[in-house]
Amino acid sequence: MMDFGATLCKRSKPDCLSCPFNDVCLAYAQGEQKRYPESKPKKALPTRQTIMLMLRDPEGRVWLEKRPPSGLWGGLWSLPQFEKHSELNDWLEVNAVNPKRETASPSFYHTFSHFRLEITPQPVSCDRLGGVRESGVWYDVNYPPELGLAAPVKALLSQLTPFSLNPTPGHA
């Protein structure tokens, strides 16, 4: 039976004229052979949410942290992530000097095989960081270092314009 499906009754190119069952086949009689077999309905993926902190210093650099070696984006560099705004606020209170929160950027989705991740980028500027220096690096958008980045992080960083302290237009 499996050979029959693999050789004659194929979805993309059914060979109905050679089929020994074409006289009793309803799909053939109705001219709808390409509709069968029907595709399995896609399973709905659960959605998770995360807030990605886009923390910039006075030089325009963005703070990145290395992910744990296993798990989601294992060993890659990523923006700090938080499930709730209260967690983000607590982190900023402990680690950032003079943080200034900007309007959150629009959320977007990154799809994995087993779930969808809704990412909300939260831009914040600060004068400097306190005690987290050993867990991350400042990413310079003018001279980006060679780092392994998670795909959505790479996309967010690519949207940032190079930063300049020179107020004269047209001069970098």
Side-chain angles (χ1 to χ4, degrees):
M1 191 60 138
M2 290 177 72
D3 287 340
F4 171 76
T7 58
L8 291 175
C9 197
K10 299 184 285 189
R11 181 180 305 152
S12 60
K13 288 186 176 181
D15 188 4
C16 296
L17 296 178
S18 300
C19 178
F21 302 108
N22 67 9
D23 58 334
V24 293
C25 178
L26 291 177
Y28 179 67
Q30 296 171 354
E32 300 207 8
Q33 310 86 301
K34 290 191 178 187
R35 283 192 52 213
Y36 301 97
E38 290 182 330
S39 300
K40 293 180 187 177
K42 289 190 177 187
K43 193 169 105 177
L45 295 177
T47 299
R48 298 180 191 170
Q49 289 85 24
T50 191
I51 302 163
M52 285 192 170
L53 172 61
M54 297 184 68
L55 184 67
R56 293 185 92 170
D57 70 1
E59 297 173 36
R61 300 175 302 174
V62 181
W63 182 250
L64 298 179
E65 295 180 338
K66 193 159 191 173
R67 302 279 304 173
S70 61
L72 188 64
W73 298 319
L76 296 177
W77 291 89
S78 180
L79 298 162
Q81 290 179 238
F82 304 91
E83 288 185 19
K84 301 175 186 169
H85 283 280
S86 60
E87 294 171 2
L88 169 65
N89 293 337
D90 292 345
W91 190 93
L92 288 171
E93 187 175 317
V94 170
N95 297 298
V97 176
N98 197 20
K100 293 175 192 76
R101 187 185 290 245
E102 300 166 23
T103 303
S105 300
S107 297
F108 64 96
Y109 291 92
H110 184 79
T111 304
F112 295 90
S113 60
H114 54 294
F115 72 95
R116 286 175 32 146
L117 184 62
E118 181 181 8
I119 299 169
T120 303
Q122 177 59 65
V124 174
S125 61
C126 72
D127 291 341
R128 65 180 189 281
L129 280 183
V132 294
R133 289 223 176 258
E134 69 281 350
S135 68
V137 297
W138 284 109
Y139 180 92
D140 189 338
V141 296
N142 294 309
Y143 306 100
E146 290 292 324
L147 298 174
L149 300 169
V153 173
K154 189 182 290 187
L156 285 169
L157 292 173
S158 71
Q159 295 173 11
L160 296 175
T161 56
F163 186 81
S164 173
L165 293 174
N166 187 341
T168 309
H171 294 87

